[in-house]
Amino acid sequence: MKQTDTKSLVLLRHHLKHLRLPTIGAECEKVANQAAADNADHLAYLLQLCELELLDREKRAAERRLKAARFPTIKTLETFDFAARPSVNKVLVAELMRCEYIDNRENILLVGNPGTGKSHLATALAAQACAKGYRVRFFRTTELITNLIEARDERTFLRLKTSLAKLDLLVLDELGYVPASKVGAELLFDVISTAYERTSLIVTTNLPFESWTEVLGSERLTGATLDRLTHRCRIIETKGESYRLHDAKARARRTTVKQPDQPVDDASVSR
Ligand code: ADP
Ligand code: MG
């Protein structure tokens, strides 16, 4: 490479950095050599670089959205065993993976006993929404209520409310594990009614509707919350026993079959 080429490259990279085009900066030399070898014209060269930058930019944005959603663990639909949970409508889940429910401001309610895959499905659906460009945030319901109560008298309350209002999809996991205080229930109701017809909600709960009063306290608040939540809502029921228990039992059975002389490992059953 000539010295003038090196100087141009250094200057070019400098300008590209200012223009925030890091992929073009990283790839321009390699792609230029390839374009020269292929006899590609200047426009084809420029087009290829722009495409690389756009692809990378989209990938970086998707990674940022995934990080901002703060999933406790990443779960995908590929690892969800539909055969083990026949009450879950696979066709409906596949339809929801297209994320049209978010454009239609519809909600998803996942109802079932602990360990039946509600959080797994909620996370897989919400991670897909991140990949498709929607702004998502995952909260354990008690965590959101605590955050709201702690921020209530401060400026951070407004900031938290503003950040919630900017979302396309809000996940409220484990609604109903712990009864909310009167203030907590009112703040939660406020979040749900602000989201109504603006932000889609995915709510997971172990409680049937008739028991929601135990968590939210008053009949009036429960009625109003359910009214907003269940208007335009898809319900997925994860019926049956805990997957972990089912999995542990299956493993224990395999152990018994493989090693008939050895006792079953109790630890694997109780895990
Ligand atoms: P829930 O939220 O209903 O209490 P989770 O979604 O947390 O249950 O599931 C408990 C564990 O079992 C998780 O590790 C999850 O990935 C796994 N799990 C649950 N159901 C299934 C399933 N049908 N296929 C694969 N893994 C599952
Ligand atoms: Mg859960």
Side-chain angles (χ1 to χ4, degrees), residues 16 33 40-41 89 103 110 136 150 158 160 189 198 235 241 246 250 268:
L16 287 169
N33 291 338
D41 63 28
N89 181 344
D103 299 327
L110 288 142
V136 178
E150 280 175 5
L158 209 61
L160 181 56
F189 171 71
R198 271 196 264 178
I235 298 175
E241 69 172 1
H246 166 88
S268 72

mmCIF file of all heavy atoms in Angstrom, residues 16 33 40-41 89 103 110 136 150 158 160 189 198 235 241 246 250 268:
data_model
loop_
_atom_site.group_PDB
_atom_site.id
_atom_site.type_symbol
_atom_site.label_atom_id
_atom_site.label_comp_id
_atom_site.label_asym_id
_atom_site.label_seq_id
_atom_site.Cartn_x
_atom_site.Cartn_y
_atom_site.Cartn_z
ATOM 1 N N LEU A 16 -15.067 8.679 9.656
ATOM 2 C CA LEU A 16 -16.154 7.703 9.856
ATOM 3 C C LEU A 16 -16.504 7.574 11.332
ATOM 4 O O LEU A 16 -17.655 7.347 11.692
ATOM 5 C CB LEU A 16 -15.768 6.337 9.274
ATOM 6 C CG LEU A 16 -15.767 6.275 7.747
ATOM 7 C CD1 LEU A 16 -15.108 4.986 7.249
ATOM 8 C CD2 LEU A 16 -17.192 6.361 7.199
ATOM 9 N N ASN A 33 -10.510 -4.053 -1.294
ATOM 10 C CA ASN A 33 -9.638 -5.036 -1.959
ATOM 11 C C ASN A 33 -10.468 -6.051 -2.727
ATOM 12 O O ASN A 33 -10.150 -6.402 -3.862
ATOM 13 C CB ASN A 33 -8.759 -5.761 -0.928
ATOM 14 C CG ASN A 33 -7.728 -4.814 -0.336
ATOM 15 O OD1 ASN A 33 -7.392 -3.794 -0.943
ATOM 16 N ND2 ASN A 33 -7.255 -5.107 0.867
ATOM 17 N N ALA A 40 -15.685 -4.616 -9.245
ATOM 18 C CA ALA A 40 -16.969 -3.977 -8.902
ATOM 19 C C ALA A 40 -16.837 -2.461 -9.030
ATOM 20 O O ALA A 40 -15.757 -1.910 -8.790
ATOM 21 C CB ALA A 40 -17.346 -4.350 -7.474
ATOM 22 N N ASP A 41 -17.939 -1.790 -9.429
ATOM 23 C CA ASP A 41 -17.831 -0.327 -9.580
ATOM 24 C C ASP A 41 -17.973 0.376 -8.219
ATOM 25 O O ASP A 41 -18.278 -0.259 -7.212
ATOM 26 C CB ASP A 41 -18.820 0.201 -10.628
ATOM 27 C CG ASP A 41 -20.259 -0.036 -10.213
ATOM 28 O OD1 ASP A 41 -20.508 -0.095 -8.998
ATOM 29 O OD2 ASP A 41 -21.117 -0.190 -11.103
ATOM 30 N N ASN A 89 -51.548 -23.821 23.745
ATOM 31 C CA ASN A 89 -51.872 -23.875 22.330
ATOM 32 C C ASN A 89 -50.659 -23.404 21.504
ATOM 33 O O ASN A 89 -50.351 -22.213 21.441
ATOM 34 C CB ASN A 89 -53.093 -22.967 22.097
ATOM 35 C CG ASN A 89 -53.545 -22.970 20.667
ATOM 36 O OD1 ASN A 89 -52.815 -23.390 19.771
ATOM 37 N ND2 ASN A 89 -54.759 -22.495 20.453
ATOM 38 N N ASP A 103 -48.888 -4.411 18.206
ATOM 39 C CA ASP A 103 -49.449 -3.339 17.358
ATOM 40 C C ASP A 103 -50.918 -3.104 17.694
ATOM 41 O O ASP A 103 -51.402 -1.974 17.613
ATOM 42 C CB ASP A 103 -49.321 -3.704 15.878
ATOM 43 C CG ASP A 103 -47.860 -3.891 15.476
ATOM 44 O OD1 ASP A 103 -47.017 -3.179 16.049
ATOM 45 O OD2 ASP A 103 -47.579 -4.757 14.631
ATOM 46 N N LEU A 110 -50.811 -15.245 31.251
ATOM 47 C CA LEU A 110 -50.385 -16.634 31.408
ATOM 48 C C LEU A 110 -50.771 -17.091 32.808
ATOM 49 O O LEU A 110 -50.296 -16.521 33.804
ATOM 50 C CB LEU A 110 -48.870 -16.726 31.230
ATOM 51 C CG LEU A 110 -48.392 -16.548 29.788
ATOM 52 C CD1 LEU A 110 -47.109 -15.753 29.725
ATOM 53 C CD2 LEU A 110 -48.182 -17.907 29.143
ATOM 54 N N VAL A 136 -39.136 -3.085 25.383
ATOM 55 C CA VAL A 136 -39.703 -4.046 26.330
ATOM 56 C C VAL A 136 -39.047 -3.874 27.705
ATOM 57 O O VAL A 136 -37.868 -3.520 27.794
ATOM 58 C CB VAL A 136 -39.414 -5.489 25.822
ATOM 59 C CG1 VAL A 136 -39.932 -6.525 26.805
ATOM 60 C CG2 VAL A 136 -40.016 -5.721 24.440
ATOM 61 N N GLU A 150 -41.010 3.090 46.618
ATOM 62 C CA GLU A 150 -39.786 3.799 47.050
ATOM 63 C C GLU A 150 -39.628 5.137 46.326
ATOM 64 O O GLU A 150 -39.101 6.080 46.885
ATOM 65 C CB GLU A 150 -38.567 2.913 46.805
ATOM 66 C CG GLU A 150 -38.410 1.875 47.899
ATOM 67 C CD GLU A 150 -37.283 0.896 47.634
ATOM 68 O OE1 GLU A 150 -36.550 1.078 46.634
ATOM 69 O OE2 GLU A 150 -37.157 -0.054 48.415
ATOM 70 N N LEU A 158 -41.524 10.142 38.678
ATOM 71 C CA LEU A 158 -41.903 10.650 37.359
ATOM 72 C C LEU A 158 -41.046 10.004 36.280
ATOM 73 O O LEU A 158 -41.526 9.641 35.211
ATOM 74 C CB LEU A 158 -41.723 12.174 37.350
ATOM 75 C CG LEU A 158 -42.661 12.927 36.415
ATOM 76 C CD1 LEU A 158 -44.102 12.699 36.810
ATOM 77 C CD2 LEU A 158 -42.320 14.409 36.430
ATOM 78 N N LEU A 160 -39.574 7.082 36.428
ATOM 79 C CA LEU A 160 -39.986 5.685 36.263
ATOM 80 C C LEU A 160 -41.275 5.610 35.440
ATOM 81 O O LEU A 160 -41.387 4.801 34.506
ATOM 82 C CB LEU A 160 -40.191 5.051 37.649
ATOM 83 C CG LEU A 160 -40.590 3.589 37.719
ATOM 84 C CD1 LEU A 160 -39.605 2.705 36.975
ATOM 85 C CD2 LEU A 160 -40.669 3.123 39.178
ATOM 86 N N PHE A 189 -52.394 -0.747 39.991
ATOM 87 C CA PHE A 189 -53.574 -0.443 39.184
ATOM 88 C C PHE A 189 -53.298 0.751 38.273
ATOM 89 O O PHE A 189 -53.677 0.764 37.098
ATOM 90 C CB PHE A 189 -54.781 -0.151 40.086
ATOM 91 C CG PHE A 189 -55.955 0.371 39.328
ATOM 92 C CD1 PHE A 189 -56.676 -0.474 38.488
ATOM 93 C CD2 PHE A 189 -56.330 1.710 39.404
ATOM 94 C CE1 PHE A 189 -57.740 0.013 37.749
ATOM 95 C CE2 PHE A 189 -57.398 2.199 38.671
ATOM 96 C CZ PHE A 189 -58.099 1.350 37.848
ATOM 97 N N ARG A 198 -52.448 1.424 25.293
ATOM 98 C CA ARG A 198 -51.247 2.143 24.851
ATOM 99 C C ARG A 198 -50.040 1.214 24.799
ATOM 100 O O ARG A 198 -49.250 1.250 23.865
ATOM 101 C CB ARG A 198 -50.936 3.289 25.813
ATOM 102 C CG ARG A 198 -51.643 4.560 25.422
ATOM 103 C CD ARG A 198 -51.048 5.722 26.119
ATOM 104 N NE ARG A 198 -51.831 6.025 27.320
ATOM 105 C CZ ARG A 198 -51.535 6.976 28.168
ATOM 106 N NH1 ARG A 198 -50.467 7.693 28.009
ATOM 107 N NH2 ARG A 198 -52.292 7.205 29.215
ATOM 108 N N ILE A 235 -55.425 -15.472 26.539
ATOM 109 C CA ILE A 235 -55.133 -16.204 27.774
ATOM 110 C C ILE A 235 -54.477 -17.544 27.443
ATOM 111 O O ILE A 235 -54.964 -18.285 26.581
ATOM 112 C CB ILE A 235 -56.414 -16.408 28.610
ATOM 113 C CG1 ILE A 235 -56.961 -15.032 29.015
ATOM 114 C CG2 ILE A 235 -56.138 -17.250 29.851
ATOM 115 C CD1 ILE A 235 -58.276 -15.056 29.745
ATOM 116 N N GLU A 241 -48.618 -30.316 36.372
ATOM 117 C CA GLU A 241 -47.636 -30.231 37.461
ATOM 118 C C GLU A 241 -46.374 -29.487 37.013
ATOM 119 O O GLU A 241 -46.155 -29.260 35.810
ATOM 120 C CB GLU A 241 -47.266 -31.626 37.971
ATOM 121 C CG GLU A 241 -46.459 -32.452 36.984
ATOM 122 C CD GLU A 241 -45.937 -33.760 37.590
ATOM 123 O OE1 GLU A 241 -46.220 -34.036 38.774
ATOM 124 O OE2 GLU A 241 -45.239 -34.490 36.871
ATOM 125 N N HIS A 246 -41.609 -32.783 37.050
ATOM 126 C CA HIS A 246 -41.844 -33.745 35.973
ATOM 127 C C HIS A 246 -40.491 -34.220 35.405
ATOM 128 O O HIS A 246 -40.256 -35.404 35.211
ATOM 129 C CB HIS A 246 -42.668 -33.013 34.900
ATOM 130 C CG HIS A 246 -42.758 -33.692 33.576
ATOM 131 N ND1 HIS A 246 -43.723 -34.606 33.276
ATOM 132 C CD2 HIS A 246 -41.976 -33.572 32.468
ATOM 133 C CE1 HIS A 246 -43.555 -35.021 32.052
ATOM 134 N NE2 HIS A 246 -42.512 -34.420 31.530
ATOM 135 N N ALA A 250 -38.740 -37.870 35.602
ATOM 136 C CA ALA A 250 -38.337 -38.582 34.376
ATOM 137 C C ALA A 250 -36.882 -39.021 34.486
ATOM 138 O O ALA A 250 -36.518 -40.148 34.128
ATOM 139 C CB ALA A 250 -38.534 -37.675 33.165
ATOM 140 N N SER A 268 -32.158 -36.037 43.149
ATOM 141 C CA SER A 268 -32.624 -35.635 41.817
ATOM 142 C C SER A 268 -34.145 -35.546 41.771
ATOM 143 O O SER A 268 -34.720 -34.850 40.973
ATOM 144 C CB SER A 268 -32.112 -36.615 40.752
ATOM 145 O OG SER A 268 -32.799 -37.834 40.872
#
